[in-house]
Amino acid sequence: MNRLSIMNRLFRPSLLSTLLVLGISVSSTAIAKQNSEPAIQDTFKPYQCEGNGIISHSDGVSTLNTLKYFGTSITIDVYDSKPEAAGPALCHALNVVQEYHYLASNYSTYPHVENIKSINNDPSHNHKIDPKLTELIEAGLEWYRKSDGYFNIALSPVIDVWRKHRNACKGEIKEQNICTTPSLSELNEAAKYINIDEINLNTTGNTISMKTGMSINLGGIAKGWMAEKVYEQLKSDGISSFMINAGGNIRHYGLHPDGREFNTAIEDPLCKKYDYQLPKCREFEGQYHEVVHGIDLTIVSSGNYLRYYRVKDQEYHHLIDPKTLRPKPKGISTSVVLDGQQIFADVISTTLFLMPLEQALEFTDRSDYLEAVWYLDDEGNKVSSANFDKYRFKPRN
């Protein structure tokens, strides 16, 4: 799951950069008075719109903006409705964002829900969970097999080992160039707890338990899943033209207000990586490498150009190959365009980035709902799937 930066151009010059860290959140707190009176528990109201997002209306567009969920910015633009209809619909959409944020978070627990953090805190306990979380975890388990093992929601212990070394690479340690990577023994020890078959999910009773020492991370599936559930909610509220930008996961429906199909520009990852200091990045047209054109599409990218650290001049990014227990050494980004199976957008982009290129191309070319483009190296070499060209924007002369 992010891990991506996409600019939805809509032929307006705006760049949208993202983080794919799941679960930055604020839980309820107990306020203790200095006079030793009993602590007073704040009222926790998880599904309020007021204070958790900004809904605005301007020039025929109604917009929701929030920074509180999934560790990133989420923006929803509604184009075809009057404020009195768009406002409630956007509030309902925010409620969907909130629901999946609370369920999928592996950073915080919440008083109203048993979530991923709750499960990870006591993995061997038999946890009763919401059917929506059951469905999400079940999909993650299924994609382990569909992806030939390149997508593994149980990889969290190995990811945590790499995160520990990456987080230590700062201050004097970073300045002295003495950052470290995990030892083979560290990785092998963590790998004892990533066997997905040791996740016991009861899809009928909605319960889950795991081997002691295991933990799961839905960061590679939850944000794309949430975006599609928001899409379904907006449609059920009668909204017929909108665009969702969930931290760079772009999902649109209907026509642009100009009466045309949407155009989405995919940011050049090297511009983002080098803070737009490369010569080509100083011009707007040089800041993106593809423009996707179509109706009812999802566009999402995965890559190694945002979250990484250096050890003796070698870069180590956050996307870990479950087969090697190490970051994939080659490739910059993979961008996918889906006109079906959109709920799996994050899963697919991550899988195709981690897979060897030949295998990834074969996977894409046998999927009639999917096209992709791979940004291979610092020279800007690219490879695209057989029919990617059908989505490329072709300006009229």
Side-chain angles (χ1 to χ4, degrees):
M1 285 167 222
N2 355 27
R3 145 149 116 74
L4 86 104
S5 181
I6 292 185
M7 171 186 61
N8 186 69
R9 188 183 184 194
L10 295 176
F11 292 105
R12 297 179 295 179
S14 62
L15 291 175
L16 303 172
S17 60
T18 71
L19 296 173
L20 288 185
V21 183
L22 178 64
I24 296 176
S25 53
V26 180
S27 60
S28 61
T29 59
I31 303 174
K33 293 185 177 181
Q34 291 183 351
N35 61 5
S36 299
E37 289 181 8
I40 300 172
Q41 184 72 29
D42 284 348
T43 301
F44 183 64
K45 298 179 179 178
Y47 302 116
Q48 290 190 128
C49 289
E50 185 177 356
N52 292 313
I54 298 173
I55 295 176
S56 59
H57 310 279
S58 178
D59 299 325
V61 180
S62 297
T63 300
L64 165 71
N65 288 290
T66 182
L67 298 172
K68 290 193 171 186
Y69 305 101
F70 288 86
T72 190
S73 62
I74 298 173
T75 302
I76 304 171
D77 291 326
V78 168
Y79 300 108
D80 65 335
S81 298
K82 294 180 179 179
E84 54 266 30
L90 287 170
C91 185
H92 295 159
L94 177 57
N95 294 158
V96 174
V97 174
Q98 292 167 325
E99 181 175 36
Y100 281 97
H101 169 87
Y102 296 130
L103 287 172
S105 176
N106 66 336
Y107 282 84
S108 299
T109 59
Y110 301 94
H112 72 291
V113 69
E114 190 84 348
N115 70 356
I116 294 300
K117 179 65 172 175
S118 308
I119 297 165
N120 290 344
N121 283 346
D122 189 5
S124 63
H125 176 73
N126 199 38
H127 297 265
K128 182 73 174 179
I129 58 175
D130 189 298
K132 292 185 178 70
L133 184 55
T134 299
E135 185 183 22
L136 184 51
I137 295 171
E138 182 183 24
L141 298 177
E142 289 175 355
W143 271 93
Y144 177 80
R145 293 156 184 86
K146 291 180 180 178
S147 69
D148 188 29
Y150 283 98
F151 185 81
N152 185 353
I153 64 171
L155 193 63
S156 189
V158 172
I159 294 171
D160 288 344
V161 170
W162 279 97
R163 184 181 289 125
K164 180 183 72 173
H165 284 263
R166 185 171 70 244
N167 291 344
C169 183
K170 59 186 177 182
E172 290 187 7
I173 292 176
K174 184 176 181 180
E175 290 172 7
Q176 295 174 21
N177 196 23
I178 54 174
C179 298
T180 60
T181 60
S183 66
L184 182 60
S185 61
E186 282 181 282
L187 294 174
N188 286 339
E189 179 63 25
K192 295 177 181 178
Y193 306 100
I194 66 170
N195 183 355
I196 205 162
D197 292 330
E198 293 181 301
I199 297 175
N200 306 305
L201 180 69
N202 183 325
T203 58
T204 303
N206 297 301
T207 61
I208 185 172
S209 64
M210 301 181 290
K211 174 183 173 181
T212 299
M214 291 185 71
S215 58
I216 56 180
N217 186 324
L218 299 183
I221 186 172
K223 186 149 65 75
W225 187 282
M226 172 273 294
E228 194 64 12
K229 295 299 183 179
V230 168
Y231 168 95
E232 293 171 2
Q233 180 63 53
L234 288 167
K235 287 182 66 179
S236 73
D237 279 334
I239 305 300
S240 58
S241 179
F242 58 83
M243 194 270 295
I244 303 164
N245 183 348
N249 286 45
I250 304 299
R251 181 72 166 109
H252 52 68
Y253 179 69
L255 294 175
H256 186 272
D258 294 342
R260 58 171 172 80
E261 296 179 353
F262 283 94
N263 302 298
T264 303
I266 304 175
E267 187 176 36
D268 188 305
L270 296 181
C271 288
K272 184 63 182 177
K273 180 176 181 178
Y274 295 108
D275 199 24
Y276 304 96
Q277 296 304 304
L278 300 178
K280 69 176 180 178
C281 307
R282 294 169 190 164
E283 299 293 330
F284 180 67
E285 288 74 12
Q287 295 173 12
Y288 55 88
H289 72 98
E290 296 284 353
V291 179
V292 172
H293 183 74
I295 295 177
D296 200 15
L297 300 177
T298 290
I299 303 99
V300 62
S301 295
S302 291
N304 64 10
Y305 52 94
L306 286 179
R307 295 167 55 199
Y308 63 92
Y309 74 115
R310 291 178 180 273
V311 180
K312 298 187 180 354
D313 298 323
Q314 176 69 43
E315 294 178 356
Y316 295 90
H317 59 83
H318 72 293
L319 293 174
I320 309 301
D321 183 343
K323 295 178 184 289
T324 66
L325 309 180
R326 305 179 68 81
K328 182 181 177 182
K330 294 182 180 180
I332 304 293
S333 72
T334 302
S335 299
V336 301
V337 181
L338 297 101
D339 64 1
Q341 302 294 317
Q342 278 96 340
I343 203 164
F344 302 119
D346 282 350
V347 179
I348 293 169
S349 65
T350 301
T351 296
L352 295 184
F353 178 80
L354 290 173
M355 274 182 174
L357 182 58
E358 258 186 51
Q359 186 178 357
L361 280 165
E362 182 184 347
F363 181 99
T364 304
D365 288 340
R366 68 171 183 261
S367 305
D368 58 6
Y369 57 86
L370 166 68
E371 299 298 335
V373 58
W374 288 261
Y375 199 111
L376 298 176
D377 51 41
D378 283 356
E379 285 69 51
N381 293 308
K382 296 192 296 183
V383 171
S384 56
S385 56
N387 296 309
F388 186 85
D389 193 59
K390 71 181 180 180
Y391 294 119
R392 283 190 170 107
F393 175 70
K394 300 173 181 64
R396 295 177 182 174
N397 296 326

